[in-house]
Amino acid sequence: MDRKFWLGTGWKMNKTRAEGRAYAEALQAVPDLQQLPMQLFVLPPFTALAEVAASLAGSGVLVGAQNCHWASAGAWTGEISAPQIAECGAALVELGHSERRAHFGETDVAINAKVKAVLAAGLRPLVCVGETAEERALDAATVTVARQARMALAGVAAADLDRVLLAYEPVWAIGEGGTPASPDYADAIHGALKNAVMDLHGRSVPVLYGGSVNAANALALASQPEIDGLFVGRAAWTVEGLLGLARAITPIVEARPHAPDRADRN
Ligand code: 13P
């Protein structure tokens, strides 16, 4: 399995094109960007996707979208397809974020179709799963995330699993008022998620943690053996924030078994 460490941010519905470009240019200008021992990624809104991807070309930072449609083209007014995203220079597509599940009725079945569309377009899906506070209270976190992951990845070809990433994002941990998961709790859920993928496909995939990651908790989260990356919202919406997190976790990422070498980067 891919043991490189991931660190990235989804901007959600934030930043103008000019703000996105400024972020990308500032990141590209960081002198030791290429020496950071983790795979960075940035997920702008669609409006800024092409120019952020162009600004970050050659930097080693991957750029991605926050959603896509399952069809490659057609009468789907207002939607964006995976081939259209690929054409913008993106490498990743986030799917199934809890905000999309909650506010736009996104189902596990739809997410499965989107995963296949993203893979068919040659991109990497980053599939978010996570239990609600109510599900956690019923001691159903593991069963919930395992079901979400198994449905998202059902029928995915073995050869394509190399490109799949999961993100564990407990709903109660995300955004203003969210409480970050404790490192031990997140690690246990990550282990259960990997087992669920292993049961389905005979191998596992990297699992990133997201939900109120910040400068105070990033190191402890990144120190957990089953946490393969951090997926950050608010704390990385400035370049300083993203870099601060990258620098905070660098020692532990470098000390991880199978620490990535430069040749392993995408
Ligand atoms: P916050 O880091 O702002 O809680 O957002 C997490 C998230 O939703 C990343 O996808």
Side-chain angles (χ1 to χ4, degrees):
M1 192 175 77
D2 181 353
R3 294 294 298 174
K4 92 173 84 179
F5 199 86
W6 296 77
L7 174 66
T9 177
W11 293 351
K12 310 195 180 198
M13 197 173 71
N14 293 296
K15 298 194 190 295
T16 62
R17 289 171 58 206
E19 289 165 346
R21 194 165 52 240
Y23 186 111
E25 286 169 359
L27 189 55
Q28 172 79 282
V30 171
D32 63 339
L33 185 66
Q34 309 250 355
Q35 276 71 54
L36 293 171
M38 70 279 298
Q39 176 64 63
L40 296 176
F41 64 94
V42 176
L43 311 182
F46 283 125
T47 47
L49 186 56
E51 55 202 295
V52 169
S55 290
L56 287 171
S59 68
V61 179
L62 297 181
V63 176
Q66 301 174 18
N67 179 34
C68 78
H69 196 267
W70 56 80
S72 57
W76 299 103
T77 301
E79 291 291 312
I80 308 279
S81 74
Q84 289 172 323
I85 290 166
E87 192 209 3
C88 289
L92 292 171
V93 183
E94 176 183 4
L95 296 171
H97 190 280
S98 68
E99 288 151 15
R100 295 211 56 83
R101 293 177 190 260
H103 304 304
F104 304 102
E106 209 154 283
T107 64
D108 289 314
V109 171
I111 292 163
N112 177 270
K114 292 179 180 204
V115 167
K116 290 170 179 164
V118 166
L119 290 167
L123 303 173
R124 296 188 74 142
L126 169 56
V127 182
C128 302
V129 300
E131 82 282 8
T132 63
E134 292 77 11
E135 287 163 335
R136 182 184 57 168
L138 294 173
D139 215 7
T142 299
V143 76
T144 299
V145 298
R147 188 199 73 239
Q148 291 171 335
R150 289 182 69 111
M151 289 192 68
L153 303 186
V156 168
D160 286 339
L161 276 182
D162 280 345
R163 284 185 286 137
V164 173
L165 300 165
L166 289 176
Y168 171 53
E169 300 209 332
V171 179
W172 43 268
I174 295 172
E176 295 296 337
T179 309
S182 73
D184 286 350
Y185 182 89
D187 195 59
I189 302 281
H190 282 226
L193 261 171
K194 290 179 187 181
N195 287 340
V197 177
M198 187 72 85
D199 285 349
L200 184 66
H201 284 297
R203 52 166 296 191
S204 198
V205 299
V207 183
L208 287 55
Y209 170 79
S212 293
V213 173
N214 59 40
N217 60 27
L219 182 59
L221 287 162
S223 302
Q224 297 298 317
E226 303 295 351
I227 296 184
D228 303 306
L230 301 177
F231 187 12
V232 191
R234 293 156 295 160
W237 288 345
T238 63
V239 171
E240 296 70 30
L242 179 67
L243 275 181
L245 295 171
R247 299 203 193 289
I249 65 174
T250 285
I252 199 74
V253 171
E254 284 179 335
R256 279 166 71 90
H258 315 298
D261 59 31
R262 297 271 301 111
D264 185 40
R265 284 174 162 229
N266 289 358

